[in-house]
Amino acid sequence: MRGVVLHAPRDVRVEEREDPRILLPTDAIIRLSATCVCGSDLWPYRGIETVHGPSPMGHEYVGVVQEVGDEVRKIKPGQFVVGSFFASDNTCAICRVGYQSSCVHREPVGGLGAQAEYLRVPLADGTLVATPDLPTDDLVPALLAASDVLGTGWFGAVAAEVGPGKTVAVVGDGAVGLLAVLAARRLGAERVIAVSRHEPRQKLATHYGATDIVTERGDDGVARIKDLTDGLGAHSVIEAVGTQESMLQAIRSTRAGGHVGYVGVAHDVELPGEELFFSHVHLHGGPAPVRRFLPELIDLIYKREIDPGRVFDLTLPLDQAAEGYRAMDERRAIKVLLNP
Ligand SMILES: [Zn+2]
């Protein structure tokens, strides 16, 4: 089969990879209907994360089940399924409280390489959620968004305790940040402040329900958010970047007693303990337990109540994955869908 392999920073190739096969009786093999490039794929692409030799890429996936192992009970060949970036049993004590991305049996899907024609999914019964039927083509991008960016933005909003009547700020205008805006509105936020300086992204944020746009970053951005909130800061702030500047902007934009939901993968972030102590701000986040939200998100997508697929503003054949990485790296595209 064809699959994306990162050989070194900025060296993305689509090449022949071995067809995945069932290795454990709890595995499933799916034929990918669509896959995509993630903002977090850009960390190794840019050389900020070390690339240890040729690495299969991709952890966002939807597709049709081809084959299942002997111990797979719920997932059946022919079903259309959505999974996320950690395989999980969905039965252990950690999964049962909704933290499937810290499952005691978790396995990262990224190492298996979902930017490909086929994918082996471990712990299929726990990891995969089947859709009610084979979706029409127009629903596939939205379902693919649920696999990571929508589920991650949703978790950010839940972790930030978004709720009716609250003012929410979202730091980060990538696909996760934009879908955190959508999540915040669905969860009842009265006001949603999106931080973005890029016009196409500002427009999409507004489409998803942002009421205010702040273009300043860092401490200037904090000051603007304070201006908009009677000097107090937002009740809930979602951090969707993962840098020192974005994390401090999120914390400093939150009012005392408020909550930060941080879902940008932290890189070299160091928090000042004394400032944190006196801030009275709650921090919660981490790799999103997307699996917790998948049944609800699939239902909302099927009812066409949300349209998260609009974050994909460039669609390319899998063979042009290198151009997809370039477009996202240069911020010419918000998110790139790849058709296997
Ligand atoms: Zn588990």
Side-chain angles (χ1 to χ4, degrees):
M1 69 163 185
R2 310 280 290 159
V4 174
V5 177
L6 182 67
H7 283 258
R10 299 183 194 275
D11 182 4
V12 170
R13 301 182 206 167
V14 178
E15 53 193 45
E16 200 59 35
R17 288 181 47 208
E18 198 179 331
D19 285 346
R21 52 195 177 80
I22 302 280
L23 297 181
L24 291 170
T26 45
D27 287 347
I29 303 296
I30 68 173
R31 180 171 51 78
L32 293 155
S33 303
T35 178
C36 50
V37 184
C38 184
S40 65
D41 294 332
L42 296 179
W43 294 107
Y45 179 80
R46 290 170 172 160
I48 297 167
E49 265 173 30
T50 314
V51 184
H52 300 282
S55 310
M57 296 295 288
H59 55 261
E60 297 161 278
Y61 54 98
V62 293
V64 178
V65 179
Q66 303 296 293
E67 190 187 349
V68 297
D70 290 341
E71 288 174 23
V72 176
R73 299 278 173 267
K74 294 184 215 147
I75 295 298
K76 313 263 185 241
Q79 284 180 325
F80 190 95
V81 291
V82 185
S84 64
F85 46 84
F86 275 118
S88 55
D89 58 20
N90 209 32
T91 54
C92 75
I94 304 298
C95 284
R96 287 201 306 272
V97 294
Y99 285 83
Q100 289 90 339
S101 41
S102 275
C103 173
V104 298
H105 295 122
R106 77 174 182 181
E107 283 188 52
V109 173
L112 304 173
Q115 289 162 5
E117 291 176 278
Y118 294 91
L119 176 69
R120 179 177 71 89
V121 180
L123 303 167
D125 274 340
T127 306
L128 297 172
V129 179
T131 56
D133 53 26
L134 283 180
T136 51
D137 286 349
D138 63 314
L139 286 180
V140 170
L143 293 165
L144 179 62
S147 169
D148 181 353
V149 281
L150 174 61
T152 296
W154 203 275
F155 173 61
V158 169
E161 301 272 332
V162 170
K166 289 191 179 178
T167 294
V168 178
V170 180
V171 178
D173 64 358
V176 170
L178 293 167
L179 293 172
V181 171
L182 178 156
R185 289 299 284 206
R186 288 291 310 188
L187 293 167
E190 182 176 297
R191 202 164 170 204
V192 181
I193 303 164
V195 177
S196 173
R197 53 176 69 171
H198 297 262
E199 205 204 334
R201 295 167 191 242
Q202 293 171 350
K203 275 192 182 151
L204 197 48
T206 304
H207 169 77
Y208 284 141
T211 53
D212 302 83
I213 303 282
V214 164
T215 54
E216 294 87 346
R217 280 202 246 175
D219 286 340
D220 293 339
V222 173
R224 280 293 296 140
I225 291 169
K226 291 250 169 113
D227 283 347
L228 293 167
T229 52
D230 299 326
L232 299 176
H235 298 95
S236 302
V237 179
I238 299 152
E239 191 286 325
V241 183
T243 63
Q244 180 75 10
E245 182 186 63
S246 63
M247 193 68 180
L248 288 180
Q249 184 178 355
I251 292 167
R252 291 171 181 164
S253 299
T254 309
R255 68 179 60 192
H259 296 76
V260 173
Y262 57 97
V263 290
V265 181
H267 282 76
D268 296 323
V269 175
E270 286 188 29
L271 300 182
E274 192 174 328
E275 181 181 342
L276 208 53
F277 180 81
F278 286 102
S279 71
H280 268 150
V281 166
H282 303 70
L283 299 182
H284 183 38
V290 174
R291 176 65 182 81
R292 187 203 310 178
F293 306 106
L294 277 180
E296 179 186 359
L297 299 178
I298 291 171
D299 186 54
L300 289 171
I301 290 165
Y302 258 73
K303 290 180 184 156
R304 295 176 193 273
E305 289 186 20
I306 57 174
D307 60 347
R310 287 183 60 149
V311 295
F312 295 106
D313 55 349
L314 178 62
T315 296
L316 295 171
L318 180 69
D319 280 336
Q320 292 177 31
E323 166 55 16
Y325 275 76
R326 271 195 299 275
M328 280 185 58
D329 178 46
E330 294 163 10
R331 288 178 76 89
R332 283 184 279 121
I334 299 172
K335 194 160 175 74
V336 178
L337 187 146
L338 298 173
N339 274 318

